[in-house]
Amino acid sequence: MRKALALPTVALAAAAFPLLTATGASAHEGSHSYQADLGSLNDSGATGTAMVTLDGTTATVMIEASGLLEGAPHAQHFHFGAAGACPTPDDDENGDGWVSVTEATEDYGAIGTSLTTTGDTSPDSGLAIDRFPTDGELSYERTLEVTPDVAASFEAGTAVLVLHGVDKDGSGTYDGTVMSDLDPSLPMEATAPAACGPLAASQMGAAPSGGAETGGGATAGTEQHAALAVGAVALVGAAAAGTVAARRRQAADQA
């Protein structure tokens, strides 16, 4: 079942990211550490800490987070290309009680790296629902390659870590009456950002507290997988479109 959903999702998502395949500025040489304090979004209750050690385009990523929905996949990404900030409740432009992916993109930008547990980490895997952590108490560690554009965004201060998936009503599953901005057949809980933190240069070089295990329960939460897979193409498309719009506005302001 999951293969039937995931394969067309990846194929379609690849077409949605022509802007993110171009090479960017050369990555900064040498090893540097960056840290993010993850704050809760959309009343998720999720918080955490992340540490990234970047050596050229090789990133060692450690994330510790809590307060997420247990047994459901939580997509997590490096975002880049916008303001390098996290949204606030004021970004709920339509007043539906949610800061949606569309409303948040101007703050944190498009997907640059998908922090999957195994395999591909490109934007094509933005919602590879069988390869994201499913733990409520998340502990993640992986060494992976990022693109030169993403590496440059760390140095520029515009890289942001975002975790998705919110059980806002406490029902134990992704549901609710407010539907996703990415696909009206999905509940907003399935795709909304749950925790966010800008990645700032760190002088500490220390890992987040707690054990670091790759991913967590990649085969768990299968009841949530179909809903997230349907929204994958819409998620990556909305992120790319939002970044283009933000850049056009910046160019207009400078004109």
Side-chain angles (χ1 to χ4, degrees), residues 221-247:
T222 54
E223 68 278 7
Q224 310 289 344
H225 288 166
L228 283 179
V230 175
V233 176
L235 172 64
V236 296
T243 300
V244 171
R247 288 176 175 170

Side-chain angles (χ1 to χ4, degrees), residues 76-115:
Q76 50 184 19
H77 318 103
F78 292 148
H79 287 254
F80 79 117
C86 294
T88 71
D90 291 339
D91 290 305
D92 176 17
E93 296 176 0
N94 64 3
D96 64 358
W98 290 87
V99 177
S100 67
V101 170
T102 302
E103 291 166 335
T105 297
E106 289 187 11
D107 295 300
Y108 56 58
I111 298 173
T113 306
S114 300
L115 301 176

Side-chain angles (χ1 to χ4, degrees), residues 52-79:
V52 180
T53 300
L54 192 63
D55 189 353
T57 57
T58 301
T60 297
V61 185
M62 287 175 279
I63 304 170
E64 299 285 338
S66 61
L68 296 162
L69 176 59
E70 182 71 30
H74 294 282
Q76 50 184 19
H77 318 103
F78 292 148
H79 287 254

Side-chain angles (χ1 to χ4, degrees), residues 40-46 67-70 72 74 96-98 165-179 186-190 192-194 224:
S40 174
L41 295 177
N42 289 310
D43 298 322
S44 68
L68 296 162
L69 176 59
E70 182 71 30
H74 294 282
D96 64 358
W98 290 87
V166 180
D167 181 22
K168 193 171 184 178
D169 61 7
S171 68
T173 189
Y174 293 149
D175 59 13
T177 58
V178 178
M179 307 313 289
L186 303 178
M188 182 68 79
E189 290 187 349
Q224 310 289 344

